[in-house]
Amino acid sequence: AYGIPGWGNGELQYYTDSQDNVLVDNGLLTITASTQDFAQYGYTSGRVRTMGMGDFQYGIIEVCAQLPSTLGTWPAIWMLPTNSPYGGWPTGGEIDIMEAVGFERDTIHFNIHTQHDNWGTSQSIGSHSTIANIDSEFHAYAILWDAFQIKFYVDGQLEFTYTPAQDSYEYWPFDTEFHLLLNIAVGGAWGGIRGIQQGEWEDSMYIDYVRVYQQK
């Protein structure tokens, strides 16, 4: 839909609407990436996006998830603007509540992208933390987002805070509604830099819940 095959990152998966890739059952949302191919793509995966159905400006956004760990997988819980008044990426902003890559064990990344700071300029702002057993246990990944800053948490523990250096949209486009994306990418500019697991495989991200809290 964006005219960017591989989501601009050189990713190798094709996102399908098959229950092989996205399934809600037994109180869990399961997103699965696998070596099942589709058209010219060597892998399939799933992505859930709440645009037009769950759009939020400020509040606490919390997702409880268990992550894949296969080499080459790149799971993410993140947010994009729904109707950005500032333009497309990266000007409109991006909030990465959680990112992980299969070649790093028990490491969670938190990132912010803006016009001034984004991976295209090699100066995106973020941090990372060691969180044990991310692929075998559920953890709660959350942000507390208000008009002045965004705080990132894992299991209620503050891990990173973003406060803009200047009060301008180049540093703070986060004053408009954003929506959630939950997905597993395969390969790409980050997930694939140390290769992809050989042979046939599949791996999943399990979502126990998504909760949003806002002041009335």
Side-chain angles (χ1 to χ4, degrees):
Y2 287 89
I4 47 172
W7 277 78
N9 302 312
E11 299 165 17
L12 302 177
Q13 78 288 335
Y14 185 89
Y15 291 128
T16 84
D17 60 1
S18 167
Q19 290 191 355
D20 291 339
N21 299 113
V22 182
L23 176 67
V24 176
D25 186 50
N26 259 349
L28 289 178
L29 163 65
T30 301
I31 297 175
T32 300
S34 78
T35 50
Q36 177 185 13
D37 58 8
F38 184 93
Q40 75 270 31
Y41 295 84
Y43 306 87
T44 59
S45 187
R47 184 193 68 191
V48 173
R49 187 175 181 212
T50 71
M51 187 173 74
M53 296 170 287
D55 307 287
F56 315 104
Q57 181 177 346
Y58 308 143
I60 296 171
I61 295 92
E62 182 179 70
V63 180
C64 184
Q66 178 179 313
L67 307 179
S69 59
T70 298
L71 180 66
T73 57
W74 179 0
I77 300 168
W78 54 304
M79 302 184 75
L80 286 174
T82 298
N83 295 296
S84 171
Y86 307 114
W89 193 93
T91 306
E94 176 181 325
I95 304 169
D96 296 322
I97 299 173
M98 183 290 304
E99 288 186 280
V101 284
F103 61 80
E104 285 184 335
R105 185 142 185 96
D106 293 339
T107 301
I108 296 297
H109 295 261
F110 322 95
N111 291 299
I112 286 287
H113 299 283
T114 66
Q115 179 174 315
H116 187 268
D117 301 291
N118 62 82
W119 66 260
T121 61
S122 299
Q123 56 180 15
S124 59
I125 291 179
S127 184
H128 65 274
S129 297
T130 299
I131 308 295
N133 304 318
I134 60 175
D135 61 342
S136 60
E137 298 176 359
F138 284 88
H139 295 275
Y141 304 99
I143 59 169
L144 172 57
W145 168 28
D146 61 28
F148 307 101
Q149 60 187 3
I150 303 173
K151 295 183 176 182
F152 294 74
Y153 296 82
V154 179
D155 297 328
Q157 179 70 39
L158 179 63
E159 302 289 344
F160 171 61
T161 299
Y162 173 68
T163 303
Q166 295 183 24
D167 184 18
S168 67
Y169 76 88
E170 292 93 346
Y171 294 82
W172 185 259
F174 307 112
D175 57 356
T176 185
E177 287 191 335
F178 276 60
H179 59 275
L180 270 166
L181 297 98
L182 313 173
N183 69 282
I184 305 174
V186 178
W190 186 17
I193 61 174
R194 297 190 187 176
I196 300 173
Q197 178 67 41
Q198 297 296 307
E200 293 187 2
W201 57 263
E202 68 175 34
D203 206 349
S204 299
M205 174 163 62
Y206 302 99
I207 309 296
D208 183 17
Y209 63 78
V210 177
R211 295 174 180 166
V212 177
Y213 305 87
Q214 293 181 301
Q215 291 183 326
K216 293 185 179 179

